[in-house]
Amino acid sequence: MSIAGGSFAYLRVELGDFMAFIAAGNILLEYVIGGAAVARSWTSYFATLLNHHPNDFRIHAASLNPDYSRLDPIAVAVIAIVCLAAVSSTKATSRFNYVASIVHLAIIVFIIIAGLTQANPKNLSDFTPFGVRGVFSASAVLFFAYVGFDAVSTMAEETKNPAKDIPLGLVGAMAITTGCYCLLALTLCLMQPYSQIDPDAPFSVAFQAIGMDWAKYIVAFGALKGMTTVLLVSAVGQARYLTHIARTHMVPPWLAEVHATTGTPVNATVVMLVATAVIAFFTSLGILSNLLSISTLFIFMMVAVALLVRRYYVSGQTNDSDRNKLIAALVLILASSMATAAYWAAGGMGWAGYLVSVLVWLLATAFLWWGVPQARAPQTWGVPLVPWLPSASIAINTFLLGSIDGPSFVRFGIWTALLLVYYFFGLHASYDTAKAASNDGV
């Protein structure tokens, strides 16, 4: 039987309840922040469509911190409408998304073709204006765009052949999306010098700058439609996640209730979107993107660790010697990856530090490959090049964390501390509620 829950369900099976709970908190944070960021971007493109600056539609609360002083009521209204759509019918939402995705692809093709007709290769003459560090800093924030893929796995219970369809859907969608991202980025940089790209509505402003004012309306409309689709998909995915977590009683079980008429998890949907609306109302896009990237990279790293555990360890079958070898290899892989990231974050420029940490990672991965037998083989579809590919995933995700600013890590640390407080001092209340409900049912 297929089970929904995505990364949370996988990590719970392989690494246990504690790590799964920490992952769940960060997954929910991803969805909330991602939705808030998209909602604020919705306001930006809506303003562009009406020939206004985005802040013209935001309320300036001068008494607040500058990062939280631009209040966005339009973002809240959009989230409220999405919430109503998400709780009404999953099938209707899926049909809308299907049609909207076709329209969105057509607009992407239009942007690429129309933009490239106005391409100026001289704009790429300064190809890396911020150097190698700028490339990795941008790469870290780029993970902002990959949050929604995990939502595919939350629909496992509603997929006919999940063992085949979900991997194909994930790999296929990610390949197509990555290709589109690259083409769109190249098109934008060829249309305008990087220093003139607008951070709020880049493509609309770029078409206006090259004299194609009429095209900016098509782009703005397509962006609004695309972001609305993203919000709908996110609303469905995050509600499914919270529902699955509630079924495990790690959060109050009433969040797992499904409405008898609509067949949708109304409680989970409303709670998640209220949280999204609150954050979208106050918080700037820069803060949201950095915090979201930390959470996403952290989850990707944990999933890679869980994959290695799944391949190399089976409880009751793996002997103590192989288990200890696996633990030692994982500790060295994680430690060397964190050392590389810390050295990079500290501004290290000498090659000796990187040589040592990368060599330790290489030897630890090689030891796992040669010295520890795999305890389990995939039945239908499996990640290739184990342990090299998941080990590289751990190293790359951890390294990119070293390119994100310190204040974002402080915010991430505060969130993690709150999760730990709830886990150790409040989680029992959820279990008690579930037990009481079970007894009442008996």
Side-chain angles (χ1 to χ4, degrees), residues 64-302:
L64 297 178
N65 183 292
D67 290 328
Y68 305 93
S69 64
R70 295 290 179 177
L71 311 183
D72 198 331
I74 292 179
V76 175
V78 170
I79 292 171
I81 294 170
V82 166
C83 182
L84 291 174
V87 301
S88 61
S89 171
T90 300
K91 289 184 178 180
T93 301
S94 297
R95 293 192 194 100
F96 172 80
N97 287 337
Y98 179 77
V99 175
S101 297
I102 295 175
V103 176
H104 195 52
L105 283 173
I107 293 175
I108 288 175
V109 172
F110 165 79
I111 291 173
I112 293 172
I113 294 175
L116 289 178
T117 62
Q118 303 295 322
N120 182 2
K122 292 182 179 180
N123 291 337
L124 298 181
S125 58
D126 191 6
F127 193 70
T128 55
F130 301 104
V132 175
R133 288 189 174 273
V135 172
F136 283 110
S137 295
S139 298
V141 178
L142 180 63
F143 274 80
F144 180 105
Y146 287 87
V147 173
F149 288 106
D150 195 49
V152 176
S153 58
T154 67
M155 307 299 287
E157 292 176 355
E158 300 167 54
T159 306
K160 292 181 178 179
N161 186 4
K164 177 182 178 182
D165 294 342
I166 287 181
L168 287 175
L170 280 171
V171 174
M174 192 168 288
I176 293 171
T177 304
T178 301
C180 289
Y181 282 152
C182 293
L183 287 172
L184 286 169
L186 178 63
T187 301
L188 182 62
C189 292
L190 286 170
M191 291 171 66
Q192 273 191 307
Y194 77 91
S195 59
Q196 299 176 19
I197 293 174
D198 184 82
D200 293 310
F203 283 101
S204 292
V205 174
F207 276 107
Q208 185 177 16
I210 62 176
M212 297 177 66
D213 285 3
W214 58 272
K216 79 172 186 179
Y217 297 106
I218 297 176
V219 174
F221 170 77
L224 291 175
K225 182 222 61 64
M227 286 184 284
T228 303
T229 303
V230 168
L231 286 171
L232 277 170
V233 171
S234 177
V236 173
Q238 68 190 19
R240 294 301 184 278
Y241 245 123
L242 186 54
T243 298
H244 182 79
I245 295 168
R247 288 175 183 171
T248 67
H249 305 141
M250 287 190 176
V251 294
W254 62 269
L255 289 168
E257 294 176 5
V258 176
H259 195 276
T261 303
T262 63
T264 57
V266 175
N267 294 342
T269 304
V270 171
V271 167
M272 290 296 293
L273 289 179
V274 166
T276 302
V278 170
I279 292 178
F281 187 59
F282 288 99
T283 313
S284 70
L285 187 59
I287 287 178
L288 293 174
S289 60
N290 283 338
L291 187 55
L292 178 60
S293 294
I294 291 177
S295 185
T296 305
L297 289 164
F298 177 70
I299 294 298
F300 283 6
M301 181 271 292
M302 288 183 65

Side-chain angles (χ1 to χ4, degrees), residues 338-351:
M338 288 188 286
T340 305
Y343 188 59
W344 174 263
M349 299 300 294
W351 58 267

Side-chain angles (χ1 to χ4, degrees), residues 54 60 125 301 323 371 375 392 412:
H60 185 208
S125 58
M301 181 271 292
R323 182 200 61 196
F412 180 75

